Amino acid sequence: MRTPLTFLAPVHGTVRLIADVPDPVFAEEIVGPGVAIDPDTSGPSEAVAPIAGVVAKLHPHAFVVQGADGRAALVHLGLDTVQLAGEGFTLLAAEGDEVAAGDPIVSWVPADVVAGGRSPVCPVVALQGEPGSVTPLAAPGTTVHPGTPLLTWT
C-alpha cells in the first residue's frame, strides 16, 4: 500500500467536480482522476505546486510536478489555453526545478482567459491515477486558497 499523497490547491477559487469540467479529457478522467477549481477572476493569480517534487513538464498554461515516489500532479490553467501560446502567463519556475508544495510555478490572469472566451477552470489531476484512487478533501462549492489541502491520492 502506498503512502497517501495530499495535493494542495494550486489556485484560489471554488472547488468543482472533475466530471463538470467541459472537456472530456478531464471530465472522463482520461488522464487521471482529480478535482477542478473555478478560479477567482478578480485579479492576477499565482498557481503553486500542489505537491513537492520536480517540475517534470512546464508550459505556460499547464504543468506537471512529479513527486519522489513517481506519482505526478497535473495542473491545467483554463481550457483551450494552449491556443494562447503563452500570452498572459508568466513562468516562475523551470522544467527540472525541485519545488516544495506551495512554491509558485506560473502567474496568470484568469479574467483574461474569460475575456478571450475560454473557461478558466483548472483541472487538478492525479496523472495516470487509477479510478477511485483520489479522495477530495474539499467539497464541491468550497472556496480554497493556494495551499489548502485539496485531495488525497492513495
Side-chain angles (χ1 to χ4, degrees):
M1 182 172 165
R2 294 192 297 193
T3 304
L5 179 62
T6 298
F7 284 24
L8 304 181
V11 297
H12 174 215
T14 305
V15 175
R16 303 287 183 220
L17 294 173
I18 196 82
D20 292 342
V21 173
D23 182 323
V25 170
F26 298 109
E28 296 174 14
E29 301 185 353
I30 292 170
V31 292
V35 300
I37 299 175
D38 194 4
D40 175 46
T41 57
S42 64
S45 177
E46 285 188 351
V48 304
I51 61 172
V54 173
V55 179
K57 209 59 163 159
L58 179 61
H59 300 283
H61 66 281
F63 58 91
V64 173
V65 178
Q66 186 170 25
D69 68 357
R71 289 182 283 179
L74 166 66
V75 177
H76 205 281
L77 302 173
L79 301 178
D80 298 325
T81 46
V82 66
Q83 299 165 353
L84 298 173
E87 186 174 329
F89 299 86
T90 302
L91 302 181
L92 306 174
E95 277 189 19
D97 284 357
E98 283 201 32
V99 294
D103 282 354
I105 306 294
V106 176
S107 69
W108 66 311
V109 181
D112 289 350
V113 172
V114 174
R118 294 172 181 84
S119 170
V121 72
C122 299
V124 182
V125 175
L127 200 56
Q128 300 178 344
E130 295 293 322
S133 63
V134 165
T135 303
L137 299 175
T142 303
T143 298
V144 293
H145 299 275
T148 301
L150 183 65
L151 64 86
T152 299
W153 184 7
T154 54

